[in-house]
Amino acid sequence: MLLIAPSIVFMTLLFGWPMVSGILQAFGGPEGLTTANFTRMAQDPYFWSSVGNTLLLIVVMIPIQFVLALAMALLIRAKPRGSSVYFYIWAIPLAVSDLAAGLVWLTVFTDRGYLNSVLASVGLEPVSWLAYDNYASMFMAVLIAEVWRATSLVFVIVVAGLQSIPKDYEEAAGVFGAGFWDRLWHVTLPLLRPSLQTALILRTILAFQTFAVALALTGQNFPLVVGETYRWYTGLQDANVASALALVVMAVSMVTAVGYLKLLKDQSEAPR
Amino acid sequence: MADISIKGLKKTYPGSTELATNNVSLDVAEGEFMVLLGPSGCGKTTLLRMVAGLDFPDEGSISIGGRDVTYLPPQDRNLSMVFQSYAVFPHRKVRTNIGFGLVMKKVPRDELEKKVAWAADLLQLTPYLDRYPAQLSGGQRQRVAVARAIVMDADVLLMDEPLSNLDALLRLDFRAELKKIVQQLGSTTLYVTHDQVEAMSLSDRVAVMKKGQIAQLGHPITVYEEPADRFVGGFIGSPPMNFLEGRVTQQGALEVAGQSTEAPEFLARSAARSGGLPVMVGIRAENIYLEDRGTPGTLDATVEVVEPLGHATLLTMDLGGQTIKVQVASTVRVSSGEKVGLRFDQAAIRFFDTETQLGLTA
Ligand SMILES: Nc1ncnc2c1ncn2[C@@H]1O[C@H](COP(=O)(O)OP(=O)(O)OP(=O)(O)O)[C@@H](O)[C@H]1O
Ligand SMILES: [Mg+2]
């Protein structure tokens, strides 16, 4: 106890203190503790649209990312020529910050961006992809940018997971008559479950925090929850409501993580 | 309908320069039990994997039931296999592991359950049907792998050391059991082992492998009694065949360890032509008889080590500077240091070329 005491103190200071102060701030007001911050947060016209946008983004983006990452990882496992090169190329976006990624895609989607130049060169009318009244295309732009930026995280985790599965199992399945899809469904995916679970939790929590990409691409036109936190803090100078928002994001993230763990619980007591 | 015909298979693994199988040709008749026997690393698993379609050869062809399957994926070959590493699915219970192939074949549910129960019973796995592989011992896991293979009723059954991890008693049990099952199923079987007793007892024919090649192919008794070369004689049998340096003189006498007996006709003739012929004399321990020192027709030897085995006694002897193993009945009383005479069963002596190590026959 005495030996681990310093580390406990350290951990408390490092993690506990900011958290406690954040919580206090979220419930803090001019006259003591209050839930007024949450009320203000919920009454803000942008709040519910940011919640909707965030959820929509998560629901659409995560399946796409998992399918893509899995397909890429399986391709690499099949070891075609130059598979290690693919790996590094696909892992590059890991190193790109979200703001930078947003700016990269801005050059594509902006009114005089690459996409419109291409359209113009084939004789089509340019489109205001990121305009406020063009919700679908705005959403697509944010989606594409986020998929481009953040699929590599899932990919790297899945590749690592696949590497730890001996080929024997898939081979055995093949010998016993399983084709590609049967092998994937009955053998590879179940064995990959721990990695998929990790990737899913990480990716979902990070997806709740998406905001720089949307900010760079659309400014305020496509609000996301964490973007709102930022706006309350810097734009509206209200740290209390910003904390309340942050607290909501944290709570939702935690609930999601626990939910995933429960949902994907491995029935076999020792998976390997 | 499901004979296997293997022709000129060559395989080199990527990153290796040695041939894992070197020009292997082998025909297994329908319903035949063929055992591949050989020391570790001789290419048995490699050969089996190519028959299964898990690896493709660099050269050569494989056909099953007259159909060329050389480059066909495993799921299109209608075979089943026991993997050397078991490859029992860790995320499935024993029950669904055994039934995996049947589910893939879309066998009706009640038939599937019947078959799984049958295989589990046969391999004494019934109490473990609802456990995960991680909750089993190594031998139990191996039995799951065997059960999974035998429920398939496949044309071709490939088994890679399926009994290697069982205790001696269980192995003896299952050896007989396996022989019976395979006979019932009528599958064409390729069975890999490095246990020569297993090979002898199970096989219709044995292919003894050495460094990626088949050194000898034949009925187990033939392979045992008439090894094609020194390697086979030394690999099969426990203890392995004795090899003694000898010489057939121009006069037709066989000289071993400075003592002389009569040489067989065909050797005497070729020795007469060439003016003496060095040979390697091969004799199995059980074909040597103990006699009193000085009995005519015996070789003088001295007992060095006495090892009672229960069913017999194994003697290690010194024969004019060369070591020789002799197996005698357990009732024979000898002690180390004793000077005795050895009589070789003339019909059981084999001769090998000292250069090529190949067997010499008339
Ligand atoms: N995946 C591989 N890559 C490179 N070399 C391999 C590979 N698998 C086997 N080999 C080599 O090929 C040769 C034959 O191996 P194989 O597995 O067929 O031996 P085996 O006869 O089954 O031996 P054992 O009785 O130990 O199982 C060995 O020299 C081995 O080192
Ligand atoms: Mg092997």
Side-chain angles (χ1 to χ4, degrees):
Chain A
M1 193 58 209
L2 206 62
L3 285 178
I4 56 168
S7 66
I8 288 179
V9 170
F10 181 73
M11 295 293 266
T12 318
L13 288 178
L14 197 66
F15 293 107
W17 174 241
M19 205 138 125
V20 169
S21 83
I23 292 172
L24 285 179
Q25 198 159 45
F27 288 100
E31 5 0 274
L33 292 185
T34 166
T35 53
N37 298 324
F38 290 90
T39 319
R40 272 187 76 189
M41 170 190 87
Q43 278 166 353
D44 185 82
Y46 279 111
F47 176 71
W48 290 109
S49 77
S50 75
V51 169
N53 287 339
T54 306
L55 290 182
L56 182 68
L57 189 65
I58 287 174
V59 168
V60 177
M61 174 173 68
I62 288 194
I64 293 178
Q65 290 191 323
F66 271 75
V67 170
L68 271 179
L70 204 62
M72 297 190 312
L74 287 173
L75 256 174
I76 291 217
R77 184 165 171 85
K79 288 225 178 350
R81 229 172 255 276
S83 57
S84 57
V85 178
Y86 288 134
F87 177 80
Y88 288 113
I89 290 179
W90 285 336
I92 282 177
L94 262 187
V96 178
S97 82
D98 42 0
L99 191 59
L103 293 174
V104 167
W105 285 94
L106 186 62
T107 64
V108 175
F109 289 115
T110 189
D111 287 351
R112 288 161 173 275
Y114 292 114
L115 187 54
N116 277 341
S117 329
V118 171
L119 286 185
S121 70
V122 296
L124 290 175
E125 286 289 306
V127 180
S128 279
W129 302 105
L130 303 172
Y132 180 74
D133 51 0
N134 215 343
Y135 184 83
S137 73
M138 203 162 63
F139 174 73
M140 284 306 289
V142 173
L143 181 70
I144 290 171
E146 263 303 283
V147 166
W148 178 83
R149 184 186 72 82
T151 302
S152 52
L153 176 71
V154 183
F155 167 70
V156 170
I157 295 175
V158 171
V159 166
L162 273 179
Q163 273 168 353
S164 72
I165 303 175
K167 283 229 160 172
D168 299 27
Y169 299 125
E170 284 154 79
E171 288 179 347
V175 165
F176 287 100
F180 174 80
W181 295 109
D182 276 331
R183 284 203 295 270
L184 186 64
W185 183 249
H186 290 292
V187 179
T188 315
L189 285 180
L191 291 175
L192 208 53
R193 187 212 307 262
S195 306
L196 291 177
Q197 202 170 356
T198 309
L200 197 56
I201 290 173
L202 265 179
R203 194 55 214 112
T204 311
I205 289 177
L206 290 176
F208 276 123
Q209 298 171 6
T210 313
F211 110 93
V213 167
L215 187 71
L217 281 173
T218 71
Q220 272 306 308
N221 293 346
F222 192 81
L224 293 169
V225 178
V226 175
E228 287 305 286
T229 314
Y230 176 74
R231 192 172 61 88
W232 275 104
Y233 193 78
T234 57
L236 306 174
Q237 300 269 326
D238 191 329
N240 295 79
V241 177
S243 295
L245 261 167
L247 206 61
V248 168
V249 171
M250 190 182 81
V252 171
S253 300
M254 269 162 64
V255 168
T256 315
V258 172
Y260 278 148
L261 284 173
K262 279 244 177 344
L263 206 67
L264 294 171
K265 193 169 178 329
D266 197 349
Q267 277 92 27
S268 75
E269 267 146 66
R272 218 166 295 273
Chain B
M1 149 201 124
D3 56 310
I4 308 172
S5 173
I6 299 169
K7 291 203 173 59
L9 275 199
K10 285 193 185 172
K11 168 84 186 171
T12 311
Y13 280 105
S16 154
T17 48
E18 256 174 75
L19 283 160
T21 62
N22 183 0
N23 207 10
V24 171
S25 297
L26 183 66
D27 284 301
V28 189
E30 155 138 44
E32 187 176 24
F33 200 121
M34 172 74 76
V35 171
L36 297 174
L37 176 66
S40 191
C42 71
K44 307 181 295 290
T45 299
T46 306
L47 183 57
L48 219 59
R49 287 176 60 86
M50 287 191 283
V51 175
L54 300 171
D55 275 324
F56 296 136
D58 303 334
E59 267 177 54
S61 71
I62 302 163
S63 57
I64 296 176
R67 185 169 64 126
D68 187 343
V69 298
T70 316
Y71 299 105
L72 229 52
Q75 63 266 31
D76 298 336
R77 299 189 179 202
N78 191 21
L79 40 80
S80 75
M81 180 166 175
V82 181
F83 285 72
Q84 186 167 14
S85 59
Y86 318 154
V88 169
F89 304 122
H91 59 290
R92 294 177 147 242
K93 290 185 176 164
V94 170
R95 186 188 302 281
T96 47
N97 253 296
I98 299 177
F100 183 84
L102 299 175
V103 172
M104 291 298 120
K105 266 197 348 194
K106 304 205 164 50
V107 169
R109 178 135 207 103
D110 47 339
E111 192 189 335
L112 183 149
E113 274 168 14
K114 221 183 297 167
K115 280 197 159 169
V116 170
W118 165 78
D121 182 47
L122 222 56
L123 288 147
Q124 300 172 19
L125 286 169
T126 312
Y128 312 113
L129 276 174
D130 288 310
R131 289 206 196 169
Y132 284 98
Q135 302 161 314
L136 299 179
S137 76
Q140 289 163 345
R141 237 172 283 167
Q142 188 163 35
R143 271 140 61 194
V144 174
V146 175
R148 182 176 63 176
I150 61 171
V151 291
M152 289 296 287
D153 256 337
D155 295 343
V156 171
L157 186 54
L158 306 173
M159 294 195 260
D160 201 344
E161 308 196 17
L163 306 181
S164 61
N165 216 341
L166 304 183
D167 65 64
L169 211 61
L170 219 50
R171 191 184 305 196
L172 209 64
D173 260 9
F174 282 136
R175 206 165 70 199
E177 202 62 48
L178 211 56
K179 191 165 184 167
K180 199 169 79 191
I181 297 166
V182 172
Q183 266 162 9
Q184 275 171 15
L185 296 177
S187 309
T188 309
T189 307
L190 256 177
Y191 184 105
V192 166
T193 178
H194 50 222
D195 179 338
Q196 43 95 17
V197 182
E198 219 168 276
M200 300 283 301
S201 65
L202 283 173
S203 63
D204 295 325
R205 282 193 299 160
V206 189
V208 185
M209 290 187 66
K210 174 196 180 185
K211 291 189 187 152
Q213 286 179 306
I214 293 183
Q216 188 173 7
L217 173 65
H219 294 276
I221 299 300
T222 316
V223 173
Y224 184 79
E225 289 182 347
E226 290 160 32
D229 64 13
R230 184 177 167 171
F231 165 79
V232 176
F235 188 74
I236 292 191
S238 165
M241 194 174 239
N242 290 299
F243 296 102
L244 303 166
E245 283 166 25
R247 193 183 152 73
V248 181
T249 62
Q250 201 162 7
Q251 289 72 37
L254 172 63
E255 282 181 352
V256 176
Q259 306 170 53
S260 148
T261 55
E262 204 179 323
E265 262 298 308
F266 72 97
L267 283 180
R269 251 184 286 128
S270 68
R273 272 200 305 278
S274 61
L277 183 71
V279 289
M280 185 67 70
V281 176
I283 178 113
R284 292 209 176 269
E286 68 267 25
N287 296 326
I288 306 174
Y289 308 108
L290 226 51
E291 308 244 352
D292 291 334
R293 173 64 67 92
T295 314
T298 64
L299 301 172
D300 294 350
T302 311
V303 179
E304 284 185 331
V305 183
V306 180
E307 295 171 79
L309 303 177
H311 65 284
T313 300
L314 190 62
L315 308 174
T316 306
M317 304 220 189
D318 177 74
L319 180 70
Q322 301 185 60
T323 302
I324 184 169
K325 301 255 186 201
V326 177
Q327 184 173 314
V328 295
S330 53
T331 48
V332 174
R333 293 276 168 264
V334 280
S335 50
S336 63
E338 215 170 304
K339 296 186 187 318
V340 295
L342 295 181
R343 180 192 300 283
F344 291 0
D345 178 348
Q346 292 293 325
I349 300 181
R350 301 285 166 251
F351 297 93
F352 299 90
D353 191 300
T354 49
E355 299 272 307
T356 62
Q357 313 276 353
L358 290 178
L360 298 170
T361 46

